[in-house]
């Protein structure tokens, strides 16, 4: 049977949607009726009861229903002209003044005598309470207003050109037309085991809840559904991987021991543990898919190097991909020297970045293709079509959070099921990691090499930054080095923050007179960047003024001072990464965050930096402050597409969804049983890219 009204019906076939509205829907990613039904309210208003104006409490966000008594428009000149619309409203209990800034059109729109619902924070000015920039809705006192009044009402983020009222009407219409045709793709068993509402009831209650309790259940069902769809491909991939034949690397224990014994340090227990895990994986015939998590400075590179050596000694090629050129070069130099001093077969290492010229590139391509290059270290230049391996046996991706999911999966495709090791210094809490990277095995380095000093982190106000410079100068006098990082290269009129370029000139003349300063940023030519980094490394420079090009991976143990200016402009994990550039030697190090942070969020971030040194703790804080969507960023997996599921607050639900996904796939690994077909269809609608995963085998 085919449905008369399939959910993928384009949005323009809905009543009330002309080309203009269609366009603004599309801008929000709403193309079909399906998308619209899954466009959930941002919040709700319980319009069965309002707060009386006389009962309003200062400082709280509240909803009132009132009539407009009077309005005035005022203009004042501060730095810029400010237009103020002030409206006095009243209900049976009292009056309230409501103020909007720079929305002069409200003057016409708000009519004396009309009824409003107002939602906003109550502030006190002297003895009087006021609501500033309230969200409001004009309500009609006559006619049928059952969607908008006397119930729990959904409030949406509005597409352009819509009011809450007309969006509600359209969604209600879509629900009425299409809900009767919907089959629940979650089978009864799963629903009943997990106490979930059915789909029809959930969708209708997420938009127009019959009561708060049902809304909550609807929410839970839809969040579960999201998690479940999100976990299925991960679980599927994990199962497929077990079936997939990979390379069984030959482990020469003697050789690894030899290499390790020649290192200038002893491996930490954690490093040894993860090396064992990786070696075991590489020896097995299944293709390795391993995520290596470890805080900045925990020594992941040497682990990766060992994995490469294992692959190479068995006659395979290994590729190491990193996000920046500076880092690629650093790895290239360090790994080359480490490998050169070890015994065994001679290893040919190549560096491939996009700054190589055409001729150089072609030469490297040829080496790779003919199998004369054993280890290829590079940036995303490795992904180019011309890069063809002879027999790629291992792929290592460093600082994976800097790559998109798509990019990450491209390199392994250049081999025949090579082993894959993904490394990250943006650790996430273990339970989350297991569920979010459900298709990967996880290794964790949970200790730093011994003798690492604590890094002293201080938060300084703009006017106290001299103190920071003093500390830095003291370090330089001791023969150590410093970084001074700015959020931007150049200043602009729009942003009132100092830029690296001008500050470099200034600091050179002034605070750091007599010291040798360098300037590095992303707009310099690659050779110039490299040259400055080399100078810094060789201690020809005392301090480096820079932008965040330094953020990842740079390893210079003699650097003991990191100053971050306008620190509120950086994210928490970014700050932690920056701080990770110091404290790599034995000396006490400093991280000086300079900021007159204003917002709560920025304050929370900087406070977390001062309080915590451990990357795992920092990540937890970061997740808390920003929420998972922001935390994982658009570069990360489908998580950001979660519309309502929040893996932090709904960890239980997420875990249950994962269990159900694994349970289902054990019974029906290809989702081919009749009862699972609707689910399969839904899954492919959501993640078309998994089509292949389904048909394999
Ligand atoms: P990250 O995990 O941030 O990538 P690196 O691999 O760059 O860290 O290592 C940081 C520094 O620690 C490097 O200088 C490295 O040589 C050194 N290192 C790594 N392992 C050890 C160890 N077991 N003992 C002492 N130093 C180590
Ligand atoms: Mg690293």
């Amino acid at each position: 049977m085919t449905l008369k009204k399939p959910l993928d019906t384009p949005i323009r076939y809905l009543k009330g949607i002309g080309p203009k509205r269609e366009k603004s829907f599309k801008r929000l990613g709403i193309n079909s009726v399906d998308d619209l039904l899954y466009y959930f309210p941002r919040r709700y208003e319980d319009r069965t009861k309002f707060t009386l104006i006389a009962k309003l409490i200062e400082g709280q966000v509240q909803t009132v229903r009132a009539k407009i008594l009077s309005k005035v428009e005022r203009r004042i000149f501060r730095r810029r002209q400010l237009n103020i619309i002030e409206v006095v409203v009243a209900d049976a209990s009292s009056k309230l003044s409501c103020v909007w800034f720079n929305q002069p059109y409200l003057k016409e729109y708000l009519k004396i005598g009309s009824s409003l619902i107002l939602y906003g924070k109550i502030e006190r000015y002297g003895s009087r309470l006021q609501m500033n920039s309230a969200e409001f809705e004009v309500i009609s006192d006559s006619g049928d207003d059952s969607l908008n009044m006397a119930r729990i009402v959904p409030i949406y983020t509005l597409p352009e050109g819509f009011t809450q009222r007309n969006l509600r009407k359209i969604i209600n219409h879509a629900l009425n037309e299409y809900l009767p045709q919907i089959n629940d793709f979650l089978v009864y068993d799963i629903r009943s085991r997990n106490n979930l509402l059915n789909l029809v009831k959930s969708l209708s209650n997420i938009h127009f809840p019959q009561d708060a309790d049902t809304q909550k259940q609807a929410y839970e069902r839809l969040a579960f559904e999201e998690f479940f769809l999100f976990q299925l491909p991960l679980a599927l991939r994990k199962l497929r991987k077990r079936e997939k034949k990979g390379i069984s690397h030959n482990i020469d224990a003697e050789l690894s021991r030899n290499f390790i014994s020649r290192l200038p340090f002893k491996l930490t227990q954690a490093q040894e543990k993860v090396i064992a895990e990786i070696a075991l994986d590489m020896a097995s015939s299944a293709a390795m898919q391993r995520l290596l998590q470890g805080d900045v400075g925990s020594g992941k590179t040497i682990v990766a190097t060992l994995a490469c050596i294992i692959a190479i000694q068995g006659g395979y090629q290994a590729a190491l991909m990193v996000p920046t050129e500076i880092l690629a070069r650093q790895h290239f130099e360090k790994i080359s020297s480490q490998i050169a001093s070890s015994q065994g077969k001679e290893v040919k290492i190549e560096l491939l970045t996009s700054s190589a010229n055409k001729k150089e590139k072609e030469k490297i391509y040829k080496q790779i293709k003919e199998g004369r290059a054993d280890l290829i270290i590079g940036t995303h230049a490795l992904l180019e079509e011309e890069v063809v391996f002879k027999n790629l046996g291992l792929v290592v991706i460093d600082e994976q959070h800097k790559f998109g999911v798509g990019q990450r999966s491209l390199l392994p495709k250049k081999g025949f099921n090579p082993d894959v090791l993904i490394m990250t210094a943006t650790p996430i809490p273990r339970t989350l990691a297991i569920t979010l990277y459900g298709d990967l095995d996880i290794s964790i380095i949970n200790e730093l090499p011994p003798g690492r000093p604590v890094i002293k982190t201080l938060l300084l106000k703009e006017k106290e930054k001299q103190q920071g410079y003093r500390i830095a100068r003291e370090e330089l006098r001791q023969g150590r080095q410093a970084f001074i990082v700015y959020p931007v290269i150049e200043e602009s009129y729009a942003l009132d923050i100092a830029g690296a370029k001008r500050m470099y000139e200034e600091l050179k003349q002034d605070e750091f007179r007599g010291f040798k300063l360098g300037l590095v940023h992303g707009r310099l030519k690659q050779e110039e960047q490299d040259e400055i980094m080399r100078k810094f490394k060789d201690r020809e420079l005392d301090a480096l003024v820079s932008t965040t090009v330094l953020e990842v991976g740079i390893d210079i143990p003699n650097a003991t001072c990191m100053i971050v200016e306008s620190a509120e402009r950086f994210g928490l994990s970014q700050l932690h990464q920056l701080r990770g550039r110091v404290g790599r030697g034995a000396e006490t190090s400093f991280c000086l965050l300079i900021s007159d942070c204003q917002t709560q969020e920025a304050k929370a971030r900087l406070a977390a930096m001062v309080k915590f040194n451990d990357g795992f703790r920092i990540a937890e804080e970061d997740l808390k402050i920003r929420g998972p969507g922001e935390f994982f960023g658009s570069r990360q997996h489908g998580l950001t597409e979660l519309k309502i599921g929040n893996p932090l607050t709904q960890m239980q639900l997420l875990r249950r969804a994962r269990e159900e996904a694994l349970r289902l796939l054990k019974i029906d690994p290809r989702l081919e049983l009749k009862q699972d077909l609707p689910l399969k269809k839904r899954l492919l609608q959501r993640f078309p890219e998994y089509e292949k995963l389904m048909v394999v085998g």
Side-chain angles (χ1 to χ4, degrees), residues 220-251:
E220 198 165 287
R221 140 79 206 221
L222 292 165
F224 179 93
E225 164 184 326
E226 273 194 334
F227 288 147
F228 184 65
L229 289 176
F230 173 72
Q231 286 297 322
L232 265 179
L234 294 180
L236 206 58
R237 226 177 0 206
K238 185 156 188 156
L239 294 177
R240 288 287 175 286
K241 191 189 85 194
R242 293 226 181 90
E243 298 167 4
K244 199 158 81 176
K245 207 103 176 104
I247 300 161
S248 171
H249 291 276
N250 202 357
I251 309 287

Side-chain angles (χ1 to χ4, degrees), residues 669-681:
R670 293 195 161 65
L671 301 183
E672 47 201 5
L673 296 180
K674 184 152 174 276
Q675 63 186 39
D676 294 332
L677 292 181
L679 171 63
K680 183 172 183 171
K681 190 168 158 220

